[in-house]
Amino acid sequence: MEVVTIKRASTSDLPTILPLVREFYAVDGHHYDEAVVTAALEPLLVDDRYGQVWLFDTGYAVLTWGYSLESGGRDALLDEFFVRNRGGGVGGAVLNALVEEARKAGALKMFLETEAPNDAARRFYGRHGFEAETSTWLSRLL
């Protein structure tokens, strides 16, 4: 496995992050609106209040904080995780680092979401200790 360089992103990294987000959204079939993505990223790049953005050699990750009685307090959501070149161990190394960073930030549990047809992603996360929940999340625009 190659050596992975992972670093916390800051506001100066926005021009590097946006093309990665655009690429991830194209791969995953999400609508990309640069103004919306920029507005959502900016508070995460300033400080840890809402979460953290991480950059690495071939991608990026976004951790956000939540709070749940069922989790025992603070939890983390791996909101976005994009690895451009899969299969070389980069994703696993970065995921392990993100779990540790979430622990350091006081999170007691980490959640993530995959698209329903993405069995490969669920197998990857399963190999790294994540288990499918029996809950079904619903959402509503506000």
Side-chain angles (χ1 to χ4, degrees):
M1 184 188 88
E2 64 186 83
V3 175
V4 180
T5 302
I6 180 172
K7 73 167 194 143
R8 278 290 301 279
S10 66
T11 53
S12 64
D13 293 307
L14 191 60
T16 302
I17 297 166
L18 288 174
L20 291 168
V21 174
R22 180 178 308 146
E23 185 177 344
F24 174 54
Y25 284 24
V27 168
D28 234 24
H30 297 294
H31 172 72
Y32 178 79
D33 181 325
E34 189 162 307
V36 170
V37 170
T38 299
L41 277 170
E42 285 175 339
L44 297 169
L45 296 170
V46 171
D47 59 35
D48 286 2
R49 181 176 179 186
Y50 299 108
Q52 305 170 340
V53 180
W54 293 88
L55 282 171
F56 48 96
D57 303 336
T58 61
Y60 76 100
V62 175
L63 285 175
T64 61
W65 312 132
Y67 196 91
S68 168
L69 296 181
E70 291 179 33
S71 295
R74 181 179 247 192
D75 55 34
L77 171 67
L78 181 55
D79 186 50
E80 298 198 357
F81 187 40
F82 176 62
V83 180
R84 181 178 288 137
N85 303 320
R86 296 179 179 112
V90 171
V94 171
L95 185 57
N96 290 338
L98 295 173
V99 167
E100 185 54 34
E101 292 298 331
R103 273 192 199 111
K104 286 182 194 175
L108 302 169
K109 189 172 188 176
M110 183 182 286
F111 293 90
L112 58 85
E113 167 194 23
T114 66
E115 299 301 321
N118 197 342
D119 293 325
R122 282 188 295 286
R123 285 192 303 273
F124 166 77
Y125 291 121
R127 287 192 304 273
H128 293 277
F130 287 83
E131 299 175 356
E133 295 271 325
T134 57
S135 300
T136 300
W137 287 54
L138 306 174
S139 67
R140 175 183 172 182
L141 292 178
L142 304 177

